[in-house]
Every structure is written in structure tokens, then in C-alpha cells.
Amino acid sequence: MSKKELFFVISLFLIGGLFFFLSRPLIVSYDLRLLILGFLIMVFAQYVQIPIAGVIFNMKAFAALFLLLFLSPETTALLSIGSILVQRKINLKSFVLRSSFELAQYGLATFLFKLSSTDYYRIPLFSISYFSLNSILTVIYVKSFAKVSVKKFFRVTAVVFLLGIYSSAILTTAYLFLESKFTNLSFTLLLYAGFLIQLYYTVNAQVWYQELQYEKEQISRETENLLKMPKILESFGTEDVDTILSKLLEVTCKMTGFSVSLMSLFDNRTGKVVRISKYGITDEDFAIIKQKQPDIKDTILLMQSRFDIGGAFFIPKGSLALDEEYTFKPLDYAKLDAENAWDPDDLFLVPIVYSNRIIGYISFDKPSNKLRPTKREVELAKFFAWQILQILKDSHYSILFTSPYGKEISLSSLMEEISKAIMSNRSFTLVYLDIDSFEKINLEKGFRFGDELIRHVQHTLEQEVKTFGVYSHLGDEFMVLLWTKSKSDGMLVAEKVVESVKERYPGITFTGAIVKYPADATDLNGILSKIRTALIAGKKSGGGRIVNI
């Protein structure tokens, strides 16, 4: 809660407290049966919601008017604020904010209620003051903190105000009878219940109609955007690929309801994430974003199974510590106060998958409805990610994901890659693995077993280094080149190979060595010399160990 919001809340508490002070003596009901019944009515009423022009209101205020026939306004205020505590998934900020609103509204309403000397006018005065202050405070809060259009809220609060006046007039009929009989009270109760039921179903019928209209408009919008697809795809070959990708992102956003999107690909040659295309981002901002390239392995961490929502990834605010240097947040961001509201710090990533591996992703932001993505939106985004992949495969960007990384290359090619990295001063880790006593294994278990063992190691290495390295092998010796700044990544790959072989072929061991450039050596001869020395030392000590220089 910001300082401005805190000042607003404290002001409301002071206003409410002042009006209650002026309403002395305060009378609190002690009839336990009425208190329990009143509390249950309040709890039930706050879960009965009526949507008016896209804004959700609950029925608590209407329940409070009814309880005024049996309880004092001070007691009703306590029950109303207390019922907030039992609301599902309410945080401290929401509780304090709603309590301050209700305290101010009940304070003013109680003051005018007691100011009236005639019973007949008390409930209407309570209703007028309660709903008037509610309208004023809502408009002030929306304009000051929500940063959205006030016109819609002003119209809605005006409608609720009129409904509140009408409902108080119905309840006032209880004071028209000369005697307080059960039949007279029952008549008022039935009249009021009929009004609330009619209100609920009338409003919801209107909502159902609006939802049908929205579905109709959505289908029309989707059809219109889908008709643009053939024209965009037909222009491939005659139009710049970046323009085509930008148009596809625009259609994707309009179909899924997002205002901003950014497409990125993994460049395994540099180990960085490259920004390719955008929608809803200015050229100036995009130029800045393109200069900030996070590491691939750091980005992959965002795509954990716990964030999976049917093939895409939704990372709620606070789930991971994100480096703000590599994140972009649109300005003029308003957040809804709803359970499934989108937070400006939420992330929605749709992976681009080629040959069963992630080669990039599309990130979406600023949904037009300010809500988290639905299943329908996820499926639409995945479809367009696949469509974008078809364009990428036939473009110059294909070099980023059709390179030999993750596959076996010749030993000379691997040495060439190392030399290039040294010339460009690019950090890397080299892993050297040797199967212990391989000749003895061939003699005792047969050459077919040896060949099968070699193939298993190859398959394991392909799976482990497919996104950030290459490997080569000569006989029973394997060299793995990893584009990583951490030796621990090399140790992790070596351990994965050892564990995989141990699980399938018990008794088979490896001796290995790991070196890092430029920390351990600054040229090719030095790297090869150190890694060979470490391997020999490991063999002499009995084998079955990975030597980390």
C-alpha cells in the first residue's frame, strides 16, 4: 500500500470514527440469536453478486437495510465489517481498504439515522447517506488509484444509489402499520425479498444477454483476424520477414486479447536470447530491449513444470526473482481487484517448439480485460506460435535453431569451435569423459555390448547438451564443449552421464576431467594439456571419479 493510499484509508477511518462519536450514545444489540442470524445474512449477502455495466457489487448493503428493522445501525456496522474476515482469499490490504470504506459509510449513515426523530424517515436517510458516500468514495478511489475511466463507475454508482433509495422505501412500509404484528412484518419481508429476487434475475438476464453479444462480437473479431492470415502468409517471399512476423504478432494479440507481445529466439552460438519482433512496443523501447540479452539457461528456468498451463507458462508475481534489467513493463498499467486479476509483474510465455525442443518464446503482456489468460487464449496463442515457427523455418532466422548444437560433431570441428571461442574471448567449459577399462569390457562382454554402451552415452549427451553445447567422441573417449560460464554445469552433465550409465549398466565407471576457459588456461594447447593431465591423474588414482581442476 502506497503512502497516498495509506493517507486515504486513515482519512476514512477518522471520518467514520468522528461520525460514530457524534452519534452517541452508541447502542449495540446483545440478542445472541439476532446477532448470529444477522451475521449469517451478511456473510451470505457478500457472496451474492450483481454485475452492473461490468462492475461487480454484492448485496451486503441491501441486507444491512433489512437488518435495521431488528438491529441498531451500530450493530449492523459491526456485523458488516466482521463478515469481511470470512471472505475467501482476502489479503490484509483489501481488508483494511474495505473496512475503511464501510466504517466511513456506516458512520455517516448512523449519524443521520439517529438525527431523525421519526422512525419512518430513518431507513431512507440511512440509505441516502450510505449510498451517496459510497458513490463519492468510489469515484475518488478509482480516479486517484485505479487510473481507469471514471465515467463507467459514476454511472454504475448512480444506479446503485437509486436502487438503494427504492429498497429503503419498500422497507419503510413496515412503519405504516399501526401495530407491529408478525403478519405485517411478513408482508414487508416478502415484498422486499421479491424486489431483491427480481433485481438479481433481471440484472443477470441482462448479463447473459451481454455475454451472448460479447461471444458474437468475439467470433466476428476472430473471423476477421483469421481472414487476414492467408494474405500475410501469401506475402512471405515478397515482403520482409520482420514485417510479416510483426503482422502475425498483431493478429495474435488481437485474437488473444493482449496489448503487448515480444518474440525472442535462443541463439545457441552465443548462449543468449535474441529479440526478434514486437507488437505494442515503441521502436525506441524495442531498441533498448534488443540490447539487453539474458542468458538462455536463465530463461529456461522460467519454463518450469509448476508454471505449465497446458503447453504455455504463466509465472505469477513473486514466484521467481527476476532481473529487472531484462524485463519490460508497459506504462499506464491498471490492476483489477479480482481473484484472477492480471498483475503488472505477471509473465505469460508461449514457447516456440522445433523438433521437440524449445527454440524461443513469445511473451504477452497487458491483457485488455486485465485478467489472467484463459484456456481458450492459451490454445490460440499456441496455434499462432506454431504458425510463426513455419515462417521462421524458411527465414534467415532458421540458423539460430538448425545448428548442430546438441549433436555429435567431428573431433576436428570441435577443436575448431574451441579455437573460435578463444579468439573471440568467449567463456566455455570443456568436459572429458573416458570409460574405465573399456578394452576389458569388450573382451568379457563382447563388442556388441561395447557398441551399445557407446550409443547409450551418445544419446544421453544429446539430451543433456542439446541447448548449450556440442560433443565429439573417439572410441571410448568423449569431449563435451559447453557454452557456459560455470564449471558446475559441466559437472552436472558429467554426473548425468555417469548416473544414466550406472542405472542401465551396473559396474561401468568413468574417469573424467573438467576445465574452464579462461580461468584454467588461456590457449588451446594449455586447455588440452591440463585436461589430459587431470584425466591421467584420475586414472592413476583408481578411476571412477571426475577431476575438477
Side-chain angles (χ1 to χ4, degrees):
M1 184 177 289
S2 65
K3 291 182 179 179
K4 190 176 178 181
E5 284 180 303
L6 187 61
F7 176 77
F8 179 73
V9 166
I10 292 174
S11 299
L12 294 186
F13 277 121
L14 292 175
I15 290 169
L18 176 63
F19 278 117
F20 274 115
F21 178 79
L22 296 174
S23 303
R24 294 178 300 169
L26 300 178
I27 302 171
V28 179
S29 304
Y30 292 101
D31 190 320
L32 188 59
R33 290 172 299 178
L34 280 178
L35 290 175
I36 293 173
L37 182 61
F39 183 74
L40 292 175
I41 289 173
M42 281 292 190
V43 172
F44 174 76
Q46 74 180 357
Y47 288 109
V48 180
Q49 298 179 330
I50 51 172
I52 301 176
V55 181
I56 305 297
F57 283 87
N58 61 46
M59 303 286 280
K60 275 179 68 175
F62 297 100
L65 292 177
F66 171 72
L67 290 176
L68 290 176
L69 295 173
F70 310 96
L71 299 170
S72 66
E74 302 96 309
T75 307
T76 307
L78 289 173
L79 293 176
S80 180
I81 295 173
S83 64
I84 301 174
L85 290 169
V86 299
Q87 192 170 353
R88 292 194 301 266
K89 296 181 180 179
I90 185 168
N91 55 41
L92 181 61
K93 178 183 175 181
S94 296
F95 172 73
V96 172
L97 184 63
R98 293 178 187 180
S99 298
S100 65
F101 264 73
E102 296 210 0
L103 188 69
Q105 291 164 192
Y106 274 104
L108 176 61
T110 301
F111 175 72
L112 291 179
F113 181 93
K114 292 194 171 185
L115 202 63
S116 174
S117 57
T118 307
D119 292 341
Y120 186 80
Y121 295 116
R122 284 184 170 178
I123 294 181
L125 281 173
F126 184 96
S127 178
I128 291 170
S129 54
Y130 181 95
F131 287 105
S132 295
L133 189 57
N134 176 266
S135 301
I136 294 169
L137 293 179
T138 299
V139 170
I140 292 173
Y141 184 81
V142 169
K143 188 173 183 179
S144 302
F145 304 106
K147 296 180 181 179
V148 294
S149 175
V150 178
K151 292 181 179 179
K152 179 174 71 172
F153 284 90
F154 185 78
R155 290 195 300 268
V156 173
T157 53
V159 171
V160 174
F161 172 79
L162 293 175
L163 290 173
I165 302 304
Y166 184 71
S167 61
S168 66
I170 294 174
L171 290 170
T172 307
T173 58
Y175 296 105
L176 294 176
F177 300 106
L178 297 176
E179 297 180 357
S180 298
K181 293 184 178 180
F182 178 75
T183 52
N184 298 338
L185 192 59
S186 298
F187 172 78
T188 302
L189 175 60
L190 290 173
L191 195 64
Y192 192 61
F195 159 72
L196 294 180
I197 292 171
Q198 184 180 13
L199 172 65
Y200 179 80
Y201 282 104
T202 300
V203 171
N204 277 284
Q206 181 66 22
V207 171
W208 295 330
Y209 173 75
Q210 290 175 350
E211 287 177 349
L212 288 174
Q213 289 296 109
Y214 175 77
E215 285 290 333
K216 183 179 177 181
E217 292 173 4
Q218 187 179 33
I219 292 171
S220 175
R221 185 175 66 252
E222 289 179 358
T223 304
E224 180 185 349
N225 283 288
L226 282 173
L227 288 174
K228 295 178 182 178
M229 290 290 293
K231 294 181 181 178
I232 296 173
L233 297 176
E234 286 172 7
S235 65
F236 183 60
T238 60
E239 196 170 6
D240 179 56
V241 66
D242 291 322
T243 303
I244 294 173
L245 291 173
S246 181
K247 289 180 178 179
L248 281 175
L249 281 183
E250 179 181 358
V251 172
T252 305
C253 283
K254 289 181 177 179
M255 291 282 286
T256 56
F258 285 87
S259 304
V260 175
S261 66
L262 177 67
M263 186 175 73
S264 306
L265 291 178
F266 296 159
D267 186 354
N268 288 301
R269 299 168 302 177
T270 62
K272 298 291 186 178
V273 176
V274 182
R275 314 302 191 179
I276 301 299
S277 188
K278 51 84 178 179
Y279 172 74
I281 302 173
T282 64
D283 292 337
E284 293 80 8
D285 286 335
F286 188 55
I288 296 172
I289 295 169
K290 288 177 74 173
Q291 294 175 3
K292 300 175 179 178
Q293 299 180 345
D295 291 334
I296 293 175
K297 66 174 186 175
D298 293 334
T299 306
I300 289 291
L301 288 175
L302 299 174
M303 303 178 190
Q304 301 177 23
S305 58
R306 61 182 172 130
F307 301 131
D308 192 302
I309 51 171
F313 300 91
F314 178 75
I315 301 96
K317 174 185 177 182
S319 300
L320 290 173
L322 301 176
D323 190 342
E324 293 187 1
E325 183 182 352
Y326 300 118
T327 57
F328 172 77
K329 188 188 300 182
L331 299 176
D332 301 325
Y333 225 134
K335 181 185 174 183
L336 287 180
D337 185 13
E339 185 177 339
N340 64 330
W342 176 278
D343 190 279
D345 292 318
D346 288 342
L347 284 179
F348 176 40
L349 308 179
V350 178
I352 302 173
V353 181
Y354 174 75
S355 296
N356 295 320
R357 64 189 179 99
I358 297 174
I359 61 164
Y361 62 92
I362 305 171
S363 57
F364 295 91
D365 208 339
K366 203 174 182 181
S368 55
N369 60 3
K370 301 180 181 64
L371 298 175
R372 292 177 175 180
T374 63
K375 184 178 179 181
R376 177 188 179 90
E377 291 163 353
V378 170
E379 292 302 320
L380 281 171
K382 285 165 56 183
F383 166 75
F384 282 103
W386 175 84
Q387 191 64 67
I388 286 171
L389 173 65
Q390 309 314 307
I391 299 295
L392 291 172
K393 286 195 297 186
D394 296 325
S395 73
H396 62 278
Y397 290 117
S398 63
I399 193 174
L400 297 177
F401 53 88
T402 56
S403 64
Y405 288 96
K407 298 180 180 179
E408 182 176 5
I409 61 176
S410 66
L411 186 60
S412 60
S413 296
L414 187 134
M415 292 298 124
E416 186 178 344
E417 289 283 347
I418 294 175
S419 298
K420 287 179 181 178
I422 293 172
M423 288 177 63
S424 60
N425 199 30
R426 180 184 176 187
S427 298
F428 63 83
T429 297
L430 187 64
V431 181
Y432 197 159
L433 292 174
D434 179 34
I435 302 174
D436 293 328
S437 307
F438 187 69
E439 293 182 5
K440 184 179 178 181
I441 291 171
N442 277 331
L443 291 173
E444 292 182 355
K445 299 190 177 183
F447 290 97
R448 181 177 295 178
F449 178 89
D451 291 341
E452 183 182 329
L453 174 59
I454 294 291
R455 285 195 297 270
H456 180 77
V457 176
Q458 289 174 303
H459 175 73
T460 304
L461 284 173
E462 284 180 7
Q463 296 301 311
E464 294 302 324
V465 304
K466 62 183 178 181
T467 58
F468 65 113
V470 292
Y471 77 96
S472 181
H473 96 280
L474 187 62
D476 61 326
E477 297 180 353
F478 295 82
M479 295 190 76
V480 186
L481 176 62
L482 302 176
W483 303 118
T484 174
K485 297 178 180 179
S486 173
K487 269 190 180 181
S488 60
D489 292 328
M491 181 62 74
L492 185 62
V493 169
E495 289 175 351
K496 287 286 184 69
V497 173
V498 171
E499 289 172 7
S500 177
V501 170
K502 185 178 179 180
E503 183 178 343
R504 186 164 181 176
Y505 305 101
I508 304 297
T509 60
F510 286 82
T511 298
I514 301 173
V515 296
K516 176 186 172 183
Y517 172 83
D520 298 324
T522 56
D523 56 51
L524 180 59
N525 289 332
I527 290 168
L528 295 179
S529 175
K530 282 207 170 185
I531 203 166
R532 173 62 68 177
T533 302
L535 187 72
I536 293 172
K539 289 283 187 182
K540 287 182 177 180
S541 64
R545 59 189 291 243
I546 308 298
V547 180
N548 189 346
I549 295 177

